Amino acid sequence: VYKRQAPWDRNRNGISIGEGAAFALLEPAGDEASGLALLGYGESSDAHHMTAPHPEGLGAALAMRAALASAALAPDEIDYVNLHGTATPANDQSEDLAVTEVFDNRIPVSGTKGWTGHTLGASGAVEAALSLLCVEHGLLPGTLNTLTPDPALSANLVRMSEQRPIRRVLSNSFGFAGSNCALVLGRR
């Protein structure tokens, strides 16, 4: 039976594994600092549980705030949040609480794992590359497979892709045992 990855969907039932690999070559910024770049990063480990995130999203919020501080940006200077969006009830609920705590519910968010599946160890790099493509092409990606958003989640979920200028993206990647990472990518 095919299982679809449906982040933030009321009937979500967990991850759908995808295969992927990614490689990123980072170079020091030269005189021409107008291109795409890693602007900031944040990491935390809440060590709440081996396989479950902190139910209130404490570690995730800490990582997002650290990424914003590293980039010297305020939350309202981010145009889009790429969710970790595993489509498991506990993970989506925890991330929703963290995102709305840091950004309220004004900034558009979406989960791209509906397009790629959860590529496990490659997911952070794959989603960083997707985030940079969103900036480069002015694309706000919709959340594929989410048919009925969970009414218990309050982040500003984008369901249909749309073209719009995007200057900066915050991309979340979370792992087992409470490892949380957030990257700010885009243009200065």
Side-chain angles (χ1 to χ4, degrees):
V1 173
Y2 173 72
K3 181 177 178 181
R4 64 183 173 85
Q5 182 95 17
W8 259 242
D9 192 270
R10 178 178 56 199
N11 299 313
R12 66 193 179 275
N13 62 356
I15 68 173
S16 175
I17 302 298
E19 288 195 35
F23 173 80
L25 177 62
L26 301 178
E27 299 177 335
D31 293 335
E32 182 187 319
S34 62
L36 300 175
L38 171 63
L39 304 175
Y41 56 89
E43 186 276 334
S44 72
S45 180
D46 58 41
H48 171 73
H49 185 273
M50 186 59 190
T51 59
H54 190 283
E56 296 170 10
L58 298 179
L62 184 62
M64 287 184 270
R65 285 194 177 101
L68 291 168
S70 174
L73 295 170
D76 64 355
E77 294 178 284
I78 300 297
D79 298 311
Y80 161 61
V81 174
N82 179 25
L83 300 167
H84 183 61
T86 63
T88 63
N91 282 287
D92 286 1
Q93 177 70 39
S94 171
E95 187 174 12
D96 183 77
L97 290 169
V99 167
T100 56
E101 179 183 323
V102 174
F103 295 101
D104 293 325
N105 65 352
R106 296 182 308 255
I107 293 175
V109 304
S110 70
T112 56
K113 285 182 177 66
W115 298 93
T116 63
H118 194 317
T119 57
L120 300 178
S123 66
V126 167
E127 291 179 6
L130 286 171
S131 295
L132 287 169
L133 287 169
C134 290
V135 173
E136 184 177 23
H137 297 287
L139 175 68
L140 187 56
T143 307
L144 185 67
N145 297 326
T146 299
L147 304 176
T148 306
D150 186 338
L153 305 179
S154 60
N156 183 12
L157 185 71
V158 174
R159 292 181 49 210
M160 301 297 294
S161 298
E162 62 182 82
Q163 294 293 139
R164 76 155 57 162
I166 296 178
R167 188 166 174 82
R168 297 181 195 102
V169 174
L170 184 134
S171 185
N172 284 329
S173 296
F174 307 140
F176 288 118
S179 296
N180 306 288
C181 177
L183 301 176
V184 177
L185 304 146
R187 302 183 199 282
R188 280 254 168 239

